[in-house]
């Protein structure tokens, strides 16, 4: 029996019951609370237990409703994590893009708890969720090509409404739940679930995977599962007395396919290389397909000094086999401290069983502050300047293309003026290279406009700093910020995509 039904009965008829009847009702409530282990009632920010699936009985899902690149205008995600400046740029231009947005304004949810209408959310909002997922996947070295499937989205949206309406989390919600639907129950059975957050913030929470029931970091493992290409998201914002909720569908038809190529043979978080401290969490993890960690040991050093750690119990059924550890004295809910300078952590994992062999792994994680500039300014010592010309082809209110033809040996910049912009207009400028697309700057309404006529002028400049080509954007009322670097095609082919909406 649903606890909410019991409470409704008690509130409606309790005054008619004698003392014995009332005691019986409260006994039923107590039995329900004690025996109900399939879902969690939420107080603050809660995560449900991660989905646990046996590889041998993995479900198969096939859908032809996935969104293509034409539907989701997102950049390709490319980072050289061994390059500090590249990791810094990737964080600023991919991760922080979403942080500058107000999710309650962007989501544009049109549903209702009262009528059990799950509603829909804005495509721009969904794009930011995808952006955050692919940020973490690219940093981890797994294919960062996640798109959302329409059917998965619909089922996850119904699941999110159910969780919000009942203020509880369950992968197997009972039919007695408010706003129950079969589609929502299916979505709940294949999703990461969270209360107390929605949108891209929920992705961070799944990656942190705090709480006693998440020592195996199952939510993180599903987000970083290499073979996954399709996901879906349901999001409910805080509404009246109902709390915000997220359901992230993470199981697609690629669950049992051959493992795709990854940057390293393992998947770790935080990964080897330069990692912004904002995305480092107390629980560190190391995943290897079909590995046996039963006899494995882990050691951790910070700048050559030993760090005491506790290794969490291992558990299978959450993507790839994984070993997890946490520095002694830290809680899984803690935030990583901002370092005064770059901190190098050396990880040694020994006695890992892989295919009948025993292997060991060693890698370094450099935790750094991406908002603390320690680099040489563009055009500084050793820098080689150049110019580029702009052939403008801007389509008002839509996507325009700027072709930048570089001429080495000189200096220069290009000015782009956008007019008739409304106060709530979003402007995004991205540097496009042959190897992919990188966001250069995103101007949100908080920056304001340059004049009362809605005119915004952006100056795009570039230099050759030794081996790296650097471009940056300068709104004439804000000054220089947000670098975009091209180290792939040596500055021979650039373009600027301007997205106005």
């Amino acid at each position: 029996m649903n606890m909410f039904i019991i409470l409704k009965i008690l509130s409606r008829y309790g005054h008619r019951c004698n003392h014995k009847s009332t005691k019986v009702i409260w006994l039923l409530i107590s039995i329900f609370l004690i025996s109900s282990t399939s879902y969690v009632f939420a107080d603050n920010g809660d995560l449900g237990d991660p989905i646990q699936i046996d590889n041998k009985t993995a479900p198969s899902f096939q859908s032809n409703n996935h969104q293509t690149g034409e539907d989701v205008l997102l950049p390709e995600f490319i980072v050289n994590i061994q390059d500090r400046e590249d990791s810094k740029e990737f964080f600023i231009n991919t991760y922080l893009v979403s942080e500058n947005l107000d999710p309650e304004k962007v989501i544009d949810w049109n549903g209702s708890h009262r009528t059990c209408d799950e509603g829909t959310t804005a495509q721009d909002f969904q794009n930011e969720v995808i952006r955050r997922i692919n940020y973490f996947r690219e940093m981890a070295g797994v294919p960062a090509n996640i798109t959302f499937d329409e059917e998965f989205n619909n089922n996850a949206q119904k699941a999110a409404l159910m969780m919000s309406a009942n203020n509880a989390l369950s992968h197997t919600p009972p039919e007695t739940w408010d706003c129950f639907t079969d589609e929502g129950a299916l979505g709940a059975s294949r999703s990461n679930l969270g209360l107390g957050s929605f949108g891209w913030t929920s992705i961070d929470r799944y990656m942190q995977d705090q709480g006693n029931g998440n020592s195996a970091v199952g939510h993180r493992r599903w987000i970083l599962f290499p073979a996954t290409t399709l996901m879906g998201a349901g999001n409910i914002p805080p509404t009246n007395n109902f709390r915000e909720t997220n359901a992230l569908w993470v199981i697609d038809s690629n669950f049992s396919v051959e493992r795709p190529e990854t940057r390293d043979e393992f998947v770790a978080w935080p990964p080897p290389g330069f990692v912004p401290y904002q995305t480092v969490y107390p629980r560190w993890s190391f995943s290897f397909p079909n590995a046996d960690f039963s006899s494995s040991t882990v050691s951790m050093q910070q700048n050559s000094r030993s760090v005491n750690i506790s290794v969490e119990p291992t558990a299978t059924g959450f993507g790839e086999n994984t070993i997890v550890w946490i520095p002694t004295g830290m809680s899984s809910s803690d935030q990583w401290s901002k370092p005064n300078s770059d901190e190098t952590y050396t990880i040694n994992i020994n006695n890992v069983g892989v295919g009948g062999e025993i292997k060991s792994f060693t890698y370094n994680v450099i935790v750094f502050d991406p908002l603390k500039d320690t680099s040489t300014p563009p055009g500084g010592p050793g820098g080689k300047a150049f110019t580029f010309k702009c052939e403008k082809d801007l389509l008002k209110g839509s996507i325009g293309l700027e072709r930048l033809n570089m001429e080495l040996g000189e200096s220069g910049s290009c000015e782009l003026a956008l007019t008739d912009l409304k106060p709530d207009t979003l402007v995004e400028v991205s540097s496009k290279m042959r190897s992919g697309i990188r966001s250069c700057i995103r101007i949100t309404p908080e920056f304001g406009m340059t004049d009362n006529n809605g005119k915004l002028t952006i100056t795009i400049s570039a230099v050759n700093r030794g081996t790296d080509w650097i471009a940056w954007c300068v709104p004439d009322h804000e000054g220089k910020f947000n670098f975009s670097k091209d180290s792939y095609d040596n500055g021979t082919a650039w373009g600027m995509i301007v997205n106005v909406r």
Side-chain angles (χ1 to χ4, degrees), residues 424-445:
D424 59 350
T425 300
L426 296 181
V427 179
E428 185 171 359
V429 182
S430 301
S431 61
K432 181 179 181 182
M433 293 83 77
R434 283 198 302 259
S435 54
I437 302 175
R438 306 251 188 110
S439 173
C440 183
I441 178 180
R442 186 182 180 94
I443 302 170
T444 63

Side-chain angles (χ1 to χ4, degrees), residues 251-264:
I251 309 295
D252 69 359
S253 60
N254 295 322
F255 182 83
S256 300
V257 302
E258 182 179 353
R259 188 178 193 264
E261 181 179 355
T262 56
R263 183 177 60 227
D264 304 298

Side-chain angles (χ1 to χ4, degrees), residues 147-340:
T147 56
F148 280 172
D149 177 274
E150 183 178 349
E151 183 178 346
F152 294 174
N153 282 343
N154 292 339
N155 292 340
Q157 188 67 22
K158 292 176 185 291
L161 178 66
M162 291 165 57
M163 307 302 143
S164 179
N166 294 277
N167 195 40
L169 300 174
S170 175
H171 293 297
T172 57
E175 294 183 5
T176 51
W177 264 22
D178 292 342
C179 300
F180 178 89
T181 60
D182 290 335
E183 295 86 354
L186 177 61
S189 71
R190 297 296 172 256
S191 296
N192 286 351
L193 301 174
L195 270 167
S197 68
F198 69 109
W200 47 91
T201 302
S202 294
I203 308 306
D204 291 357
R205 292 184 62 214
Y206 295 139
M207 288 296 297
Q208 180 161 1
D209 242 353
Q210 69 184 57
N212 294 332
N214 293 312
S215 60
V217 295
H219 300 95
R220 177 191 301 174
R221 288 156 68 174
W222 285 126
I223 288 177
L224 301 182
F225 188 63
T228 303
T229 60
L230 295 177
M231 293 187 184
N235 290 280
I236 304 295
T239 308
N240 299 324
N241 295 324
F242 296 99
R243 300 183 53 210
E244 60 269 46
T245 317
N246 172 268
L248 182 70
W249 184 300
V250 291
I251 309 295
D252 69 359
S253 60
N254 295 322
F255 182 83
S256 300
V257 302
E258 182 179 353
R259 188 178 193 264
E261 181 179 355
T262 56
R263 183 177 60 227
D264 304 298
E265 57 180 335
F266 55 85
V267 177
W269 195 269
F274 288 91
V275 185
Y277 80 91
Q278 295 92 333
T279 62
V280 177
Y281 309 109
R283 283 179 170 142
W284 292 44
S285 60
F286 176 94
S287 302
F288 199 101
N290 301 315
D292 180 2
F293 293 107
S294 59
S295 300
S296 299
T297 61
V298 181
S299 66
M300 183 174 181
Q301 292 180 318
Q302 178 189 353
N303 299 331
S304 300
R305 292 184 300 179
S306 179
V307 176
N308 292 328
I309 63 172
S310 297
V311 178
E312 303 276 23
T314 58
T316 59
F318 312 105
E320 297 188 325
N321 291 357
T322 300
I323 191 168
V324 182
W325 64 97
I326 185 171
T328 302
M330 292 196 76
S331 166
S332 62
S333 61
D334 288 344
Q335 300 300 309
W336 203 267
S337 299
K338 180 170 70 173
N340 293 323

Side-chain angles (χ1 to χ4, degrees), residues 42-59:
D43 294 321
N44 298 311
D46 292 331
L47 293 181
D49 293 337
I51 314 162
Q52 192 167 19
I53 297 178
D54 187 332
N55 289 352
K56 297 178 181 179
T57 59

